[in-house]
Amino acid sequence: MEFTGKIIAILQPRGGVAKSGNEWKAQEYVIEDHGQYPRKMCFDVFGADKIEQFNIQMGEELTVSFDVDARQWQDRWFNSIRAWKVERVSAAAPAGVPGAPVPPPAPTAAPEFLAGDAKDDLPF
């Protein structure tokens, strides 16, 4: 599956040590499409090597190829949207073309997302 849009949030990275003793790292991003009623999707990139390879930045236009999977924990089901390929979207019109839409400037800092009072006892 694919989703094309603009990166609007970069969440705090997560990491830990698996039962096997191997370290792991995951990074979540939020992307928004440009439809009449914009849709948002939160996806993750798993593995320090993939996070570095994709090098996703705030405000970038991307096409994300991903897999959807679900897992059960304590009689509840949770979806996982994991990116396996990321491509930069080329500019639709060359710079300086009259009438071409000018995108707004990208935010300079990533927004902070705090857990607040929410109890987060999920094992992943």
Side-chain angles (χ1 to χ4, degrees):
M1 299 177 159
E2 289 186 346
F3 192 99
T4 299
K6 179 180 179 179
I7 297 296
I8 61 168
I10 300 174
L11 283 62
Q12 294 296 320
R14 296 177 292 130
V17 179
K19 290 179 184 177
S20 63
N22 296 328
E23 287 190 37
W24 62 271
K25 185 175 179 182
Q27 178 76 53
E28 291 182 312
Y29 305 88
V30 179
I31 189 168
E32 182 178 52
D33 72 4
H34 302 292
Q36 180 180 359
Y37 303 104
R39 295 175 300 149
K40 296 174 184 75
M41 179 181 75
C42 181
F43 67 94
D44 66 41
V45 176
F46 190 82
D49 57 334
K50 289 282 187 193
I51 294 169
E52 187 177 324
Q53 175 189 347
F54 294 160
N55 191 27
I56 298 172
Q57 302 297 315
M58 184 67 116
E60 280 189 304
E61 293 286 334
L62 303 174
T63 296
V64 179
S65 299
F66 60 92
D67 290 323
V68 178
D69 193 18
R71 61 194 169 285
Q72 185 179 19
W73 184 71
Q74 294 186 351
D75 296 327
R76 292 191 62 198
W77 285 88
F78 298 89
N79 291 318
S80 172
I81 301 173
R82 181 147 304 153
W84 54 270
K85 183 170 84 171
V86 172
E87 298 174 310
R88 267 62 185 179
V89 176
S90 60
V97 173
V102 177
T108 57
E112 286 190 31
F113 293 93
L114 301 175
D117 299 348
K119 182 179 178 190
D120 187 12
D121 59 350
L122 299 177
F124 46 86

